[in-house]
Amino acid sequence: MFTDNFWVQSIIHFNYFILFYIIFVNLVYTLLFLFSIRGIYIHRKKNRYWSYEDMIASSYTPPLSILVPCFNEAETIVDNIKALLSLEYGEFQLVIINDGSKDETLKVLMEEFDLHRVDMPYKKEISTKKVNRIYLSASSENIIVLDKENGGKADALNAGINVAEYPLITAIDADSIIERNSLVKVVRPFVENRDVVVSGGIVRPVNDAKISKGFIEKISLGKKSVVRFQVVEYLRAFLFGRIGWGMINSLMIVSGAFGVFNKKVVIEAGGYTEETIGEDMELVVKIHRLMKEKKKKYEIVFVPDPVCWTQVPEELKTLKNQRKRWHKGLMDTMLNHRGMLLNPKYGTVGLLGMPYFFFVEMLGPVIEIIGYIAILLSFWYGIISLEFALVFFAFAVVYGVFLSIGAILLDEYNFKKYNNISEYFTLVIYSVLENFGYRQLTTWWRFVAFWQYKRRGNKWGDMKRKAFSEKSQE
C-alpha cells in the first residue's frame, strides 16, 4: 500500500517523533517525582519541630475567611458546614454563597442554622451579579450567607471575596470535607514565610467513606472501579505533580477544592475570572503574572499533608463531562496567557511551567491519540519493527505504571490515610489496570475536548451529588 518512499520516510520520522515525545514526557515526570521526594523529605523534617496545637493558640496565626460557593447542593451542604464549624482553627468565618440554586439549598441552610436577613454594607471591590439578600446565623456567630443571582462559580467566589473580612481566604467546595487540622497545616506557610501568597493542600476522593457529623470516621477506596482509578490519579497528580512544581515555584494550579489565598493579592489580580471554565488555574496563573510583572518576591506553595476529601464521579458519563470541562479550562488559561509561554520575563513559570502545561497537558492528548493510531497502523503495514513497537509500549504504558506505584508508595510511607496495607495493594493493582483502557479513555475525552473547544461563559459543572453516608462501609 505504501509504495512512495517519501511518505514511508515521513511516517517513520513521525513515529520517532511520537516515541521521543513520550520519552521526554516521562523524563519530565521522573524529574518531578525526584523533586517531590525531596519536597516530602523537607516537609517531614519541618514537622519534627512543629506542633499545630501551638499554631492554633498562637496570635501570629492569621484569621481566615472560608468561602463556600454552592449551587443545588441541598444534599450535602449541611454536613459540609457542620464540619467546617468544627475545624481546629483560631479565628475564622464561613461565607456561604448561594448562587441562585434551584433546589432547596437556601431553605435547608435557613432552617438548620437559624438565618436572619440583615442589611450589611460591604465594599464591592470585584464586580459580580446582584446579591439579593445577606443573612447572619443566630446559632453561630461566624456564619454569613449570601443569596445572589446565578452567575457561575467564579462570580459566586468573587461575591464572597467582597464580603470576606479576613486577610486570608479559602474556597471549599460544598461537596467536600476537610480534616479537622487541615486549615492550620495549609495556613502554616503564610506564618513561616511572608512571601507566600498562595498555599494548596491535597484532595482525595471520599466516595463510600463513613461520615459522622460532617467528619470522616472510616476511609474507603470506593466500591466502584471508576472511583478507585481516580484515587490513583489524584495521588499521582498531587503527590509528585504539584509537589514537584511547587519546589521550583512554578505551581500553576491549586485545586479549587482546597487552597488558601492572600485576599489582597487576589483582589489586585482581579479575582476569579468569569469567562473561563477553569477558574482555579486561571487565578493562580494571573497571580504568577501579576507578581512577575510587578517584580515582587512571592511564593506559591503546595503542602502535601492537609487533606480535603471530595466526591468524585461514579458514572462514566459524569466523569467524561468533568474531564472535558477540565481540559477546556486548561485551554482557556493557556490561550489567555500565551504571552507568558517561553518568555524569560516570567522566570521558571514562563520557561518551564507554561511550556509543560501547553505542550504536555494541553497538546498531549492530541499527540498521544494520533501516536497510538500511527504506531498501530505502521506496525500493521510493516513500516516499523516489533522492537520499535515494544519500546513505544514500554514508555507509553509500563513507565506510567511505575510512576503511579511510586506515588502510592510515597503516600503509604508518609501519610497512611487508608486503613490497612491491603488497600494499598489494591491501589497498586488499579495503578496497573488503569493503563489498559481507563487512561486511554480519559485521554480520548481530552482529545475530543481539544477539538470541541471554543470560548464560552463559565458554567457550574454537571456533577451528580449524593448525601454523605452515616453508615459504616464494611
Side-chain angles (χ1 to χ4, degrees):
M1 178 178 180
F2 294 100
T3 57
D4 189 319
N5 187 62
F6 171 78
W7 286 108
V8 172
Q9 290 300 315
S10 297
I11 293 171
I12 292 174
H13 290 155
F14 180 75
N15 287 333
Y16 273 104
F17 164 75
I18 296 294
L19 177 61
F20 288 132
Y21 175 84
I22 296 280
I23 293 173
F24 170 75
V25 170
N26 283 323
L27 176 61
V28 173
Y29 288 157
T30 302
L31 291 175
L32 288 174
F33 187 54
L34 294 176
F35 278 131
S36 297
I37 292 175
R38 175 168 173 76
I40 291 178
Y41 169 77
I42 294 172
H43 178 74
R44 285 170 61 91
K45 192 173 181 180
K46 285 182 178 179
N47 283 347
R48 296 175 188 171
Y49 310 101
W50 179 82
S51 166
Y52 75 84
E53 290 89 352
D54 292 339
M55 187 171 163
I56 292 173
S58 173
S59 60
Y60 292 101
T61 303
L64 176 74
S65 293
I66 304 174
L67 313 182
V68 188
C70 49
F71 176 73
N72 294 344
E73 305 284 357
E75 287 287 338
T76 58
I77 189 64
V78 171
D79 280 343
N80 180 258
I81 299 305
K82 286 182 177 179
L84 293 174
L85 287 173
S86 301
L87 289 173
E88 297 174 348
Y89 197 84
E91 184 177 359
F92 68 94
Q93 67 170 167
L94 299 183
V95 182
I96 307 164
I97 310 102
N98 179 45
D99 192 51
S101 296
K102 296 178 173 60
D103 67 354
E104 295 188 339
T105 297
L106 182 61
K107 181 181 178 181
V108 298
L109 285 171
M110 294 186 71
E111 292 176 353
E112 186 68 33
F113 300 107
D114 194 12
L115 301 182
H116 296 276
R117 184 176 179 180
V118 295
D119 293 321
M120 189 181 81
Y122 64 93
K123 187 176 181 181
K124 194 173 183 179
E125 297 188 89
I126 306 173
S127 178
T128 69
K129 294 283 188 179
K130 181 181 178 183
V131 175
N132 296 317
R133 290 170 290 274
I134 299 179
Y135 299 90
L136 293 180
S137 170
S139 61
S140 179
E141 62 181 9
N142 56 343
I143 287 182
I144 179 171
V145 176
L146 310 185
D147 182 40
K148 63 179 288 293
E149 295 179 357
N150 179 261
K153 185 175 181 180
D155 189 76
L157 290 169
N158 287 336
I161 292 170
N162 285 334
V163 175
E165 62 179 281
Y166 293 140
L168 297 183
I169 57 172
T170 183
I172 306 294
D173 287 349
D175 64 327
S176 302
I177 291 177
I178 64 176
E179 295 180 351
R180 280 187 170 90
N181 57 8
S182 283
L183 275 183
V184 176
K185 292 177 179 178
V186 80
V187 168
R188 174 183 168 188
F190 290 91
V191 178
E192 293 178 331
N193 185 351
R194 66 177 63 185
D195 294 327
V196 172
V197 295
V198 183
S199 175
I202 191 170
V203 178
R204 297 171 182 261
V206 73
N207 303 52
D208 297 316
K210 179 187 174 184
I211 310 297
S212 178
K213 297 180 181 179
F215 283 100
I216 297 175
E217 286 194 351
K218 183 180 180 181
I219 301 301
S220 170
L221 288 181
K223 297 177 181 178
K224 296 186 177 182
S225 292
V226 67
V227 173
R228 295 181 176 187
F229 283 133
Q230 290 174 84
V231 172
V232 174
E233 283 185 301
Y234 274 63
L235 287 176
R236 185 173 60 243
F238 282 92
L239 284 186
F240 75 78
R242 298 193 185 179
I243 296 178
W245 287 115
M247 287 292 292
I248 56 174
N249 200 26
S250 297
L251 183 61
M252 304 288 283
I253 181 170
V254 169
S255 176
F258 193 30
V260 176
F261 296 79
N262 181 304
K263 177 187 171 184
K264 183 179 178 181
V265 172
V266 171
I267 292 174
E268 193 175 356
Y272 288 89
T273 302
E274 295 179 35
E275 294 301 317
T276 185
I277 300 173
E279 67 285 328
D280 43 5
M281 182 177 188
E282 176 71 16
L283 177 59
V284 174
V285 175
K286 285 201 304 184
I287 291 174
H288 273 299
R289 187 169 192 165
L290 171 73
M291 302 304 280
K292 291 290 186 181
E293 290 177 351
K294 293 202 169 186
K295 298 182 179 179
K296 292 184 178 181
K297 191 176 179 181
Y298 75 102
E299 287 189 27
I300 295 178
V301 302
F302 177 80
V303 188
D305 199 7
V307 177
C308 174
W309 299 88
T310 189
Q311 290 188 27
V312 298
E314 296 186 348
E315 300 174 357
L316 287 179
K317 181 179 179 181
T318 308
L319 181 63
K320 177 184 71 174
N321 292 336
Q322 181 197 65
R323 296 309 167 88
K324 290 172 69 175
R325 188 173 68 250
W326 284 0
H327 201 73
K328 291 175 182 178
L330 168 65
M331 293 180 69
D332 269 345
T333 300
M334 291 296 100
L335 296 177
N336 288 344
H337 302 280
R338 56 189 178 275
M340 298 174 65
L341 182 65
L342 297 173
N343 190 335
K345 174 181 177 181
Y346 298 98
T348 55
V349 176
L351 297 177
L352 297 176
M354 288 292 292
Y356 169 82
F357 279 94
F358 190 92
F359 294 110
V360 177
E361 293 293 337
M362 190 180 89
L363 296 181
V366 177
I367 297 173
E368 188 172 343
I369 292 296
I370 294 175
Y372 285 140
I373 297 171
I375 294 293
L376 288 173
L377 289 178
S378 297
F379 178 71
W380 180 264
Y381 286 105
I383 296 175
I384 61 173
S385 64
L386 175 62
E387 290 78 8
F388 185 96
L390 290 176
V391 170
F392 174 83
F393 175 79
F395 281 101
V397 177
V398 177
Y399 198 75
V401 173
F402 163 75
L403 292 173
S404 296
I405 292 176
I408 292 167
L409 293 177
L410 273 180
D411 182 67
E412 196 282 330
Y413 178 74
N414 292 284
F415 307 112
K416 296 180 174 62
K417 292 296 182 182
Y418 295 99
N419 299 310
N420 51 61
I421 196 67
S422 66
E423 291 182 291
Y424 281 101
F425 280 123
T426 301
L427 285 179
V428 168
I429 293 172
Y430 274 88
S431 70
V432 175
L433 294 177
E434 72 153 347
N435 288 276
F436 298 91
Y438 176 81
R439 199 188 89 183
Q440 289 75 19
L441 181 61
T442 57
T443 301
W444 171 255
W445 291 334
R446 294 164 62 203
F447 174 85
V448 172
F450 181 89
W451 297 108
Q452 289 180 342
Y453 173 79
K454 61 180 180 180
R455 301 209 175 227
R456 61 181 67 183
N458 183 27
K459 295 181 179 179
W460 284 75
D462 180 19
M463 169 71 184
K464 293 183 179 180
R465 315 290 188 196
K466 65 179 183 179
F468 292 118
S469 173
E470 295 285 341
K471 297 179 181 180
S472 176
Q473 305 294 331
E474 300 294 347

